[in-house]
Every structure is written in structure tokens, then in C-alpha cells.
Amino acid sequence: MATPLTPIPPKSPPAQANSRSRIAFGAGIATLTIAATIAATPSTALAQDDTYASDNAWVPEQVQAPAAWETTKGEGITVAVVDTGINDHPFFEDKDILKGYSALGTEDGTGWNDTDGHGSAVAAGVLLVAPDATILPVRIDTGANVLSGAMGDIQFDAFRWAVDNGADILVVPWAIDGAGFEGEYLEVLQYAIDKGAIVISSAGNDPDSDVQYPAFVPGVMAVTGTDRNGDIWYENTTTGPEVAVAAPADEMTAPLPQDSALGNTELYQTVIGGTSMGSGIVGGVAALTWAAHPDLDASNVIQRLLQTAGDGSGNRSEDVGYGLVNADQAVHAEGIATVDENPLGYPMGEAGASGATPDDNAAEESEAGAESAGPSSTAAEGTKESNLSTIIVVAAAVVLVGAAIAVWLVLRGRGRQAATAAETGAFNPGNGPAPGGFQPVAPQQQYGPPMGGGQGYGGSPPGQQGYSSPPRGQQGFNPPPGGSEAGAPWRPNDPNRQL
């Protein structure tokens, strides 16, 4: 919270009027400089909160995203988070987040009504790894009942809406336990894949459970979790033969929705990330990969993610898949064999079984038109508040410039009057400051967390931080207990590593 400006005790007036003018002129120049700085660097001037990124810095380090950022940060790739929606938060203010869609009949029909926080946390995880990706929030649940154990027509329609409205990647950060997942449960996933999207889902957080729907469905990239050391977190996440890759799932800082109606008094909360967060992080790595290789189709982006995960050997373990995703190698590795079909298979057994094709996208987006709340709207409508922020910054700069000129003119005139008064002895009895003589106040603002502190501010989260990306090709992750006949995706082998 900003502290009040500290006043400076009055000083004796300068002997010469032109000295006062020089002070005023200097103050005006300083003000102009500040204004120019604000206009040139709005993100700095707005003091964007970086708590989320700094507290979770170990996450992009573990998946080696900083090395991938040398090439791309995910621009041009749209990631749909099919969950509880999204809500206002300082972390999202400079991000590319579309209006999205709600299947729950909310007043405006958009995805901006996350009352639970789960969808906001997963979307933030995507952006933690791919900060320039576009988020498409698709709200299918409130978070209270986890879909009540089932999906219905509105959820099926929401999946289709996402891919019909520009989603390149679908992150599905939840799992449903049970049997009977046939018919439309499979068809809707087949539809998304046939339309050219990548579907990523969390495997689950129960180590005693089997991989759940939709993660166990062929063609879906199922994600298990790692701890802060990069080891599979066997104690807290679900593993199994359906798992494709692993991603960070340990304790993280998560954004709390800042909708005034929710009454949240903190900006952040600490959560056990789970495979929900892991699926968002894999979504971010997929966005980096596709942005770096825009000529690839979804099947070959998946191929790069699989072949560069873990040690890059292409060997798949029976319980943890190909290993920890590696953004650096997924973006930069050479010599990855191309594929003609999804290497993870298809929900209904073969490509095109839903009758949809990627070529349908253009027609669907055209039909959606300007009324759509999703990516088919113009970029200016889709990006929340980014243009407004720029206008506010420019307006503030103009006001400061005008104020600086006005102060300089006033002080110059009054300085001349003070000089004349000093010569006649009419003012400044006792050598005090002349009436109306302004004293400049030095700015001494200090910014910090809300009064009383708050979760996620300033301190380091439990556990060691300071991870640094190992040299390309040298991960050195521990093997899973008991090893694997299919190979050891946690030990360096390096056939695809770029030196």
C-alpha cells in the first residue's frame, strides 16, 4: 500500500528570481521525463504484480521453458481451458484472454465468471509457460460438484464450441471416475481431434486410482505429475499405461478471482497443484511448440512433445508415459520423425470417425460472426482491457505534461513577484518564505502488499527454489521405482537433443 508523501520543511527563498525559475524549470523537466517514461514503458508504470510468476518460477525452469522463450512465447496459439471459467486478476491484465463461452447460461454468455478459481488457476498455469498464448475460457462447471460425476448436452456442446471457435489446444483439467464412457463421451473428443485440435487432460490425483475420463481415452494426452525435484510424484498423482507425459504438480501459488461479489481479500492462495495444473502447463508447452512450428498439424506437435519428453529416447514407461515435458527440446530439437496420424490413437478408432475435418474451421468461424464471444470476434474485442490500459497511460502522460508546463509558468511569474517584493521589503518578514511560494515535495512512495500481509507476498514458497535449466540434453531425472521394461525415460539418452 502506498504511504503518504512526506513533506519537506520550508526553505528560505532564493535571492534571485531567475534561481526560482531554474528550480521550477528543472521540476518541469523532471515531470516531463517521468511522463515520457510512463508513455514509453506502461507495464513498468502500472507496477504489474509479479508475485505469481516469481513464486512459481521453479515451474517453467523445470520444463525448460526459458530456453524455448528465446524462440517463442506461444504467440498465435489459442488454448481453450474447459473448466470453471476465468475471472479478473492483476496477473491477467496484460495477457491475451478472449471473452470465451459459458455453457451454464450466465448473463453475458462469456467465460468470465469463475466463482471457484480452478479455471483461473489453470489458465494462469498455461500463461506461466507460454505468456503470449491466447486463452479461450470455456465455462462448463461451477466447481462445486465436479460435473456431478457426469457430462451432459451443455458440456458436449461447449467442447464443440471451443474447436469451432478457434481453439488449437483444449486443456481439460478434471477427471470423471466411473464406467460407461461411450457414445457421445467419445464422439465429442473425436470431433475435437478431427477438427485439428490437441486435447490434454489431467490423469487424476489419487495414486490408488486408475486414470480417469477423459484422460484414458485414446488420442487424449494424459498428464501425470512431478514434484519440485522433477521426479514423478507417486504419492499424490495418478499413474498408469494411459499416461502420455508428466508436468509439475507440486505446491504452487494460484491467483484468487478478484470479482468484488466474491469477497476475496487476498490476491493469491497456496494450492497443491495436482495434475490439473500439470495439464495447463503441458498446454503451455504445446503452445510454445506449435508457435515455433506453425507448419505442423496437431498430430506432429504431439509427436514432438512425446519424442522430446524425459530423456528424449522415445521410450514409453508403463506408468508415466514418455517422461517430463521439455519445452526447450520440443521447440528446438531436430530430426523428429513426422507422423501421418495422432501417435496416441483416436477415441473412435480412426481419424475422421466423427465426420469433421480441420477444413470445417473457417466455415464455422465465419458463421459465428461478430456476435460470437470467442476468437472469431475481432482482436480488439477479444483482448480484455489491453487497449484501454494503453489509452489510460497516454492520457496520464498528457496530463502530467500539461501540469508540468502550468507549474513552471506559475512559478516563473510568482518568482518574479517575489524578487520584486524582496527588493521593496513588502514581503518575507523575518526572512521566511514569501506568501504563495510553493515548495517542491520529493516523491517518496513505497509500494508493498496489502495491510496485514497476505498469502503469496514476498516470501519464498516451501521447498527449494532457484532451479536453473540444465544444459540441453542433460536432465538427469531419477527413474521411477522399479524401472520399466519399455525404457527409462528419466535418464539422459539424448538421441534428439540439440547441442
Side-chain angles (χ1 to χ4, degrees):
M1 182 174 181
T3 58
L5 295 177
T6 304
I8 295 178
K11 298 180 181 179
S12 299
Q16 301 292 331
N18 59 357
S19 298
R20 165 106 17 127
S21 298
R22 284 195 296 269
I23 293 173
F25 181 76
I29 292 298
T31 307
L32 288 170
T33 302
I34 293 171
T37 302
I38 291 175
T41 57
S43 59
T44 302
L46 293 176
Q48 170 106 15
D49 180 66
D50 65 351
T51 300
Y52 178 78
S54 60
D55 279 7
N56 297 320
W58 67 275
V59 173
E61 289 286 350
Q62 188 177 111
V63 300
Q64 300 196 35
W69 294 341
E70 296 174 6
T71 298
T72 179
K73 292 189 175 181
E75 59 279 2
I77 304 301
T78 298
V79 181
V81 177
V82 187
D83 197 20
T84 62
I86 202 168
N87 216 322
D88 292 324
H89 193 276
F91 176 73
F92 297 133
E93 288 180 357
D94 64 343
K95 303 299 188 295
D96 187 12
I97 303 177
L98 304 174
K99 293 178 181 178
Y101 173 77
S102 175
L104 304 181
T106 53
E107 183 176 346
D108 62 1
T110 76
W112 283 84
N113 190 24
D114 182 11
T115 58
D116 178 77
H118 193 266
S120 296
V122 174
V126 175
L127 295 169
L128 182 64
V129 173
D132 289 348
T134 298
I135 297 294
L136 179 65
V138 179
R139 187 171 187 254
I140 64 169
D141 184 50
T142 64
N145 298 315
V146 192
L147 299 177
S148 300
M151 290 172 62
D153 289 342
I154 62 171
Q155 285 85 18
F156 295 137
D157 289 345
F159 271 76
R160 295 186 180 94
W161 184 94
V163 291
D164 288 346
N165 285 271
D168 302 303
I169 299 164
L170 271 64
V171 171
V172 186
W174 42 263
I176 303 176
D177 193 11
F181 294 108
E182 300 176 350
E184 197 161 9
Y185 283 93
L186 299 181
E187 191 278 334
V188 71
L189 297 174
Q190 179 80 39
Y191 181 85
I193 293 170
D194 285 344
K195 291 288 292 257
I198 298 171
V199 182
I200 299 168
S201 183
S202 51
N205 298 331
D206 184 353
D208 297 321
S209 173
D210 294 331
V211 176
Q212 299 175 357
Y213 176 87
F216 70 65
V217 176
V220 175
M221 181 171 285
V223 180
T224 192
T226 60
D227 61 20
R228 281 180 174 252
N229 296 320
D231 300 324
I232 294 297
W233 204 9
Y234 284 96
E235 297 83 1
N236 288 287
T237 58
T238 303
T239 59
E242 300 88 354
V243 168
V245 293
D250 209 333
E251 184 175 279
M252 302 180 195
T253 295
L256 273 172
Q258 294 302 296
D259 188 325
S260 59
L262 300 178
N264 290 329
T265 59
E266 307 290 351
L267 281 175
Y268 300 95
Q269 63 180 338
T270 300
V271 299
I272 299 299
T275 57
S276 293
M277 292 301 297
S279 65
I281 291 159
V282 173
V285 176
L288 294 176
T289 306
W290 217 338
H293 301 277
D295 55 318
L296 296 182
D297 60 9
S299 295
N300 280 284
V301 173
I302 294 172
Q303 172 77 343
R304 290 190 71 86
L305 292 171
L306 300 180
Q307 295 301 312
T308 59
D311 67 354
S313 67
N315 293 326
R316 184 173 188 173
S317 166
E318 282 298 310
D319 57 356
V320 299
Y322 292 86
L324 179 65
V325 288
N326 185 321
D328 178 18
Q329 292 303 313
V331 167
H332 294 126
E334 299 178 356
I336 304 297
T338 59
V339 295
D340 296 326
E341 294 187 332
N342 188 336
L344 297 173
Y346 293 92
M348 297 174 66
E350 60 181 354
S354 71
T357 66
D359 295 336
D360 292 344
N361 278 332
E364 293 284 354
E365 291 178 24
S366 176
E367 291 174 8
E371 295 181 1
S372 170
S376 58
S377 302
T378 63
E381 293 173 335
T383 304
K384 192 178 191 309
E385 296 183 353
S386 60
N387 291 337
L388 178 60
S389 298
T390 302
I391 293 171
I392 291 172
V393 169
V394 173
V398 171
V399 170
L400 286 174
V401 171
I405 294 172
V407 168
W408 177 69
L409 291 174
V410 169
L411 291 184
R412 183 180 65 172
R414 293 192 177 184
R416 289 174 177 173
Q417 292 175 357
T420 303
E423 291 176 0
T424 62
F427 294 94
N428 301 320
N431 203 30
F438 296 95
Q439 296 290 330
V441 178
Q444 297 180 4
Q445 291 178 307
Q446 297 175 349
Y447 297 92
M451 296 298 290
Q455 290 179 310
Y457 288 92
S460 298
Q464 297 180 346
Q465 289 200 32
Y467 291 87
S468 59
S469 298
R472 294 177 184 170
Q474 298 181 18
Q475 284 187 293
F477 295 104
N478 296 333
S484 170
E485 295 180 358
W490 305 98
R491 290 198 298 268
N493 191 18
D494 221 24
N496 295 318
R497 289 300 194 257
Q498 184 183 35
L499 300 177

